[in-house]
């Protein structure tokens, strides 16, 4: 029976979040926390694979206690079990430290029930790096299949999976051995509205929550800020685009005005060194 684990994250809704003008950092309190949209598609795909081939779907996240809400959302989508690692010593982790912590949690889940397939969203909307999934795969020494837009087949007996990977000018079909890790695109599926029974189940569900001390063989120096070699020095909102310019007059007048603007822009571009 397949055991599929989806790694997820609770993130601030970037459509609503504001920037702190004094610190140039995101004001996370200004926006509600949601399940990362890419991760929702990963969970939905895991549920679809379960329905096609049988098995169970677990979800795993790292975060503060309120991140339980993200796990409950995954139960609404159709996941069976939820696991969360939560400890102040995880705080401030970059993608390297995050992949390390999640790998240690996956090692513990593996001992509960062997893991056949790991799914992640392509990236998180608050970080946009796309590094955690491949980082987990590297640490577990399993194949990472990125930008997956379709899961064509899973053959547990022969131990392989066939997927379509999105590339710049189309897609490629890849066969990989199991276990492996997929990071999926949004276009892989549509996440439907949750069924009422799943909503009731999610409301009552209590996930498994582990601290650092409940994981095995953890190097504290590789967690949180201590284990994070990268630092975000500054974050700022991009400037708002200026409004368009309206050209008036006869068609010839408008053409002359447009050419004037183009020539002016070209002169400024050349003055800055061009290409």
């Amino acid at each position: 029976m397949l055991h599929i684990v989806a790694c997820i994250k609770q993130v601030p809704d970037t459509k609503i979040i504001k920037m702190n003008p004094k610190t140039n950092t995101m004001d996370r309190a200004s926006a509600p926390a949601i399940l990362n949209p890419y991760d929702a598609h990963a969970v939905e795909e895991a549920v679809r694979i379960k329905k096609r081939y049988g098995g169970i779907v677990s979800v795993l996240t790292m975060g503060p206690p309120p991140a339980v809400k993200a796990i409950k959302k995954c139960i609404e989508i159709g996941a069976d079990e939820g696991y969360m690692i939560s400890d102040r010593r995880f705080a401030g982790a970059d993608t390297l430290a995050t992949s390390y912590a999640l790998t240690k949690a996956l090692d513990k889940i593996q001992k509960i029930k062997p893991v056949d397939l790991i799914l992640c969203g392509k990236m998180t909307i608050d970080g946009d790096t796309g590094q955690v999934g491949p980082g987990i795969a590297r640490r577990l020494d399993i194949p990472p299949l990125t930008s997956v837009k379709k899961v064509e087949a899973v053959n547990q007996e022969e131990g392989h999976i066939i997927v379509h990977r999105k590339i710049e000018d189309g897609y490629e079909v890849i066969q990989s051995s199991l276990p492996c890790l997929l990071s999926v695109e949004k276009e892989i599926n549509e996440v439907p509205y949750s069924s009422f029974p799943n909503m009731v189940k999610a409301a009552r569900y209590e996930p498994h929550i582990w601290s650092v001390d409940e994981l095995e063989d953890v190097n504290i120096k590789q967690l949180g800020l201590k284990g994070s070699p990268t630092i975000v020095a500054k974050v700022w909102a991009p400037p708002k685009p200026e409004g368009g310019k309206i050209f008036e007059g006869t068609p010839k007048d408008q053409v002359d005005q447009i050419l004037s603007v183009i020539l002016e822009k070209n002169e400024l571009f050349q003055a800055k060194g061009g290409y």
Side-chain angles (χ1 to χ4, degrees):
M1 184 168 63
L2 280 171
H3 184 196
I4 310 163
V5 177
C7 295
I8 66 161
K9 185 182 180 183
Q10 187 180 66
V11 297
D13 190 338
T14 54
K15 294 179 181 178
I16 302 174
I17 197 167
K18 298 178 181 178
M19 302 297 295
N20 186 318
K22 294 183 179 180
T23 62
N24 286 320
T25 59
M26 289 189 293
D27 181 6
R28 292 179 179 269
S30 67
I34 61 172
L35 172 63
N36 180 52
Y38 284 94
D39 296 345
H41 290 278
V43 176
E44 172 64 20
E45 192 61 25
V47 172
R48 294 187 182 201
I49 294 171
K50 177 186 75 170
K51 290 179 179 178
R52 287 167 64 186
Y53 302 101
I56 63 171
V57 173
S58 299
V59 294
L60 168 65
T61 192
M62 179 179 77
V68 166
K69 293 180 181 179
I71 292 180
K72 287 179 176 288
K73 180 61 181 177
C74 295
I75 299 297
E76 282 189 20
I77 294 173
D80 301 292
E81 295 289 347
Y83 299 87
M84 182 169 80
I85 52 174
S86 185
D87 195 303
R88 289 185 178 274
R89 286 170 284 183
F90 292 128
D94 67 358
T95 55
L96 187 70
T98 298
S99 65
Y100 176 76
L102 291 175
T103 299
K104 289 302 180 181
L106 284 164
D107 286 341
K108 183 163 183 173
I109 294 172
Q110 176 84 8
K111 292 181 179 180
I112 298 172
K113 180 172 177 56
V115 178
D116 302 291
L117 185 62
I118 301 171
L119 273 70
C120 302
K122 177 184 177 181
M123 62 186 185
T124 57
I125 60 173
D126 64 340
D128 290 359
T129 65
Q131 295 173 350
V132 172
I136 292 172
R138 177 66 182 85
R139 292 180 185 279
L140 293 175
D141 195 24
I142 60 176
L145 306 181
T146 57
S147 301
V148 174
K149 59 176 285 186
K150 179 181 179 181
V151 176
E152 184 171 304
V154 179
N155 191 322
Q156 191 175 15
E157 292 182 359
E158 297 182 11
H160 70 250
I161 186 172
I162 300 174
V163 303
H164 293 190
R165 282 189 69 244
K166 185 178 180 179
I167 55 177
E168 188 173 350
D169 55 353
Y171 69 91
E172 59 184 6
V173 181
I174 292 181
Q175 177 174 304
S176 170
S177 59
L178 293 173
C180 67
L181 181 144
L182 315 182
S183 59
V184 305
E185 298 277 350
K186 280 186 176 181
E187 63 195 80
I188 195 168
N189 56 47
E190 291 290 334
V191 181
Y193 288 107
S194 301
S195 67
F196 182 71
N198 279 2
M199 293 173 68
V200 173
K201 179 182 176 182
R204 297 173 177 173
Y205 185 78
E206 295 298 331
H208 308 273
I209 302 176
W210 299 325
S211 67
V212 171
D213 297 329
E214 292 174 277
L215 304 178
E216 296 181 6
D217 300 321
V218 176
N219 183 344
I220 300 297
K221 293 181 179 179
Q222 295 188 51
L223 298 177
L225 284 174
K226 291 182 179 179
S228 302
T230 56
I231 297 173
V232 179
K234 184 178 181 181
V235 178
W236 66 94
K240 294 182 179 180
E242 298 179 0
K245 186 173 183 180
I246 298 175
F247 298 106
E248 299 177 345
T250 66
K252 183 180 182 305
D253 291 338
Q254 293 178 37
V255 170
D256 290 340
Q257 293 174 64
I258 292 171
L259 287 174
S260 176
V261 170
I262 292 173
L263 291 172
E264 181 183 349
K265 296 289 186 182
N266 184 60
E267 288 177 3
L268 290 172
F269 178 71
Q270 294 298 331
K272 293 180 179 179
Y275 289 108

